[in-house]
Amino acid sequence: MIKKRNFDEIIESLEHRNKIPKISEFTRKDCLFLYEKLADNKIETDHVFLSYEKAKKYNKEYHDDFSEFKENHWIFAETGRGDFWIIDLDDIISPPTVFFYDHDLEDFSPESMLNISINIIEWFELADLISQLHNKDFYDEDFRLKEHWKQKVIEEIEKIKKGLSTKSPFQF
């Protein structure tokens, strides 16, 4: 069964930290609890939440190596293919909007990032929903998602945010 779960339920199912890290580089108070509570978490292949330590390291490296990567952009998650999920630390929306960076573009400028039009809380809901698709019974002999399940996942994605199923960087 594919079903949208609420954020608190998802967070409780993830791997938690043993102790709260000393956080110095992250300024978003509305997201701070994520780094205080969560370790690295592979929610599913294309939605890997980074622990504070790993996110801090990634952000330092990419800010040093790519001048077009704005200082206020923060990589908070990665895919298994070298792409990143990013938030804008200066975003006035709380919680902040999520952007997707496709590494094939090789350009960290804001214009090259896809605005998914969801916030970081909704990102966890989307990741959890997509993780539920990892069931061999949902696919045909050519490994394509069966139409019934495709319609069900689109219906559930639309419960997260109307129009999200058409904005996702991944096709169902």
Side-chain angles (χ1 to χ4, degrees), residues 34-88:
L34 295 169
Y35 286 121
E36 291 175 341
K37 190 168 193 158
L38 297 176
D40 286 329
N41 274 278
K42 182 177 179 181
I43 303 167
E44 71 88 37
T45 305
D46 289 317
H47 295 82
V48 181
F49 180 79
L50 303 173
S51 66
Y52 173 71
E53 295 83 358
K54 188 179 267 187
K56 180 179 174 181
K57 180 178 179 237
Y58 275 32
N59 281 283
K60 180 175 179 359
E61 288 174 8
Y62 283 91
H63 283 112
D64 287 350
D65 293 344
F66 295 91
S67 61
E68 73 275 15
F69 189 38
K70 291 174 54 177
E71 281 298 318
N72 59 322
H73 282 167
W74 180 266
I75 298 167
F76 72 91
E78 64 181 335
T79 69
R81 304 175 236 196
D83 303 327
F84 295 115
W85 298 96
I86 295 170
I87 58 171
D88 184 338

Side-chain angles (χ1 to χ4, degrees), residues 69 73 86 99-101 105 108-115:
F69 189 38
H73 282 167
I86 295 170
F99 297 87
F100 180 76
Y101 169 73
L105 298 175
F108 268 105
S109 66
E111 300 78 28
S112 295
M113 294 183 198
L114 176 62
N115 182 343

